[in-house]
Amino acid sequence: MRKRALWKKTAAILLTAAIIFSAAGCGTENPEDQAAKINDTVITKGQFDRFSTLCLYMMGYDPSENLTSDQETSMLDDMVNAEVLKQYYEKEDPSVFSDTYQSGLEAFISQTKQVSGEFIESSGISDEDLTFYYMSQYLTQLCFNEIQAENSDEELYGEAEKYYEEHRDDFGEETLDEALEEIYYQLYSDRYEEKLDELKEDMSIEK
C-alpha cells in the first residue's frame, strides 16, 4: 500500500524519476481534440502525446509503445496540475516568472536541442512543448519547496514518528531514522496534493 501510494505521488512531483511508464501516445485520435480544459486553457491530445513522449525520454524510458489507461490518466493529471499551478502563480505571484525563470527556460531549451535535437525533431516536439515541460517541473518544485518551508523541523519530525508507528508493518526492519527521508517525502507529497485540491476548487476543470 505504501509503495503504491509513493509511486502515485511521485508521478505528480517535479522529479518524475519514479515514473514507471512504458510509453506515450493516444492512438489515431485527432491531435487537436481536447484532452483537458483548465478554465479557458485547453490541453489537446497532441500536446498530451508530446508531453508524455518528452517526459519518458528525459527519464530514459522508451516512448515508442502505448500507455495503459491508468498511465494516461496519471500523465494527464500531471499536465493539469502544471496548468493549475501556472494560473495560480500568474495571479498570486507573477514574479515567479521573472528573469531567473526565463533564463533557466532558455538554457533548458537550448541544451535540450543541442543534446537531443534528432529526437526532438523526429517527435515533432516544439519550443512550446519544451516550455510546458520546463514550466511543469519548475512550478511543481517551487510549490513543493513552499510547502516544506511552512513546516518546522520539530513539527515534521513529530508527524514522521506518528506516521512510522501507524505504518510500522510497512517498514519491516527499517528504523525510524532509516525510513525518515521516505516518510518526509510522503508527508510533503500528501500536502502537495491537498494544496492542488484547494487550488482546483476555484477553477473549472474538464477531463
Side-chain angles (χ1 to χ4, degrees):
M1 176 178 182
R2 176 174 61 94
K3 297 297 184 183
R4 185 164 58 251
L6 279 173
W7 177 87
K8 182 178 179 181
K9 302 297 181 184
T10 304
I13 303 299
L14 163 74
L15 303 176
T16 50
I19 293 177
I20 312 179
F21 293 156
S22 60
C26 291
T28 58
E29 296 174 322
N30 186 341
E32 296 305 315
D33 285 348
Q34 177 178 307
K37 186 176 181 180
I38 304 89
N39 291 330
D40 295 328
T41 300
V42 172
I43 294 174
T44 68
K45 294 187 182 297
Q47 288 173 314
F48 168 77
D49 286 350
R50 296 189 297 274
F51 178 79
S52 301
T53 298
L54 184 57
C55 284
L56 296 169
Y57 178 81
M58 289 295 190
M59 292 300 104
Y61 293 102
D62 179 8
S64 64
E65 299 178 4
N66 290 328
L67 290 168
T68 67
S69 178
D70 286 345
Q71 290 165 350
E72 284 186 3
T73 297
S74 183
M75 187 68 80
L76 184 58
D77 284 344
D78 288 348
M79 293 193 75
V80 169
N81 290 343
E83 181 61 34
V84 165
L85 289 175
K86 176 188 176 185
Q87 295 186 23
Y88 166 73
Y89 282 114
E90 284 178 336
K91 179 180 179 181
E92 300 297 332
D93 187 8
S95 66
V96 164
F97 303 99
S98 63
D99 291 344
T100 299
Y101 171 86
Q102 293 300 328
S103 61
L105 170 61
E106 292 171 6
F108 169 76
I109 291 176
S110 176
Q111 182 178 6
T112 302
K113 286 183 173 180
Q114 182 178 359
V115 175
S116 306
E118 183 177 346
F119 167 78
I120 295 299
E121 183 176 354
S122 65
S123 300
I125 293 172
S126 65
D127 283 5
E128 183 179 346
D129 297 322
L130 292 171
T131 296
F132 189 92
Y133 174 85
Y134 178 84
M135 179 201 72
S136 72
Q137 305 298 286
Y138 185 94
L139 295 184
T140 305
Q141 185 65 58
L142 175 63
C143 182
F144 204 72
N145 289 345
E146 289 176 350
I147 292 171
Q148 287 180 306
E150 293 171 357
N151 300 273
S152 69
D153 292 341
E154 294 79 8
E155 290 174 335
L156 190 61
Y157 189 82
E159 290 189 36
E161 285 184 309
K162 181 179 178 181
Y163 185 94
Y164 179 78
E165 292 302 325
E166 290 176 348
H167 301 83
R168 189 67 182 83
D169 291 343
D170 293 336
F171 292 99
E173 296 182 359
E174 281 186 290
T175 65
L176 172 60
D177 287 343
E178 291 171 336
L180 201 55
E181 182 176 354
E182 186 175 357
I183 295 173
Y184 280 169
Y185 184 79
Q186 180 67 61
L187 294 174
Y188 285 135
S189 297
D190 288 343
R191 290 173 183 176
Y192 171 83
E193 294 290 345
E194 291 169 2
K195 170 91 172 180
L196 283 170
D197 287 343
E198 291 175 5
L199 297 181
K200 290 174 184 178
E201 289 178 359
D202 297 324
M203 298 185 183
S204 173
I205 297 177
E206 302 174 13
K207 288 192 293 182

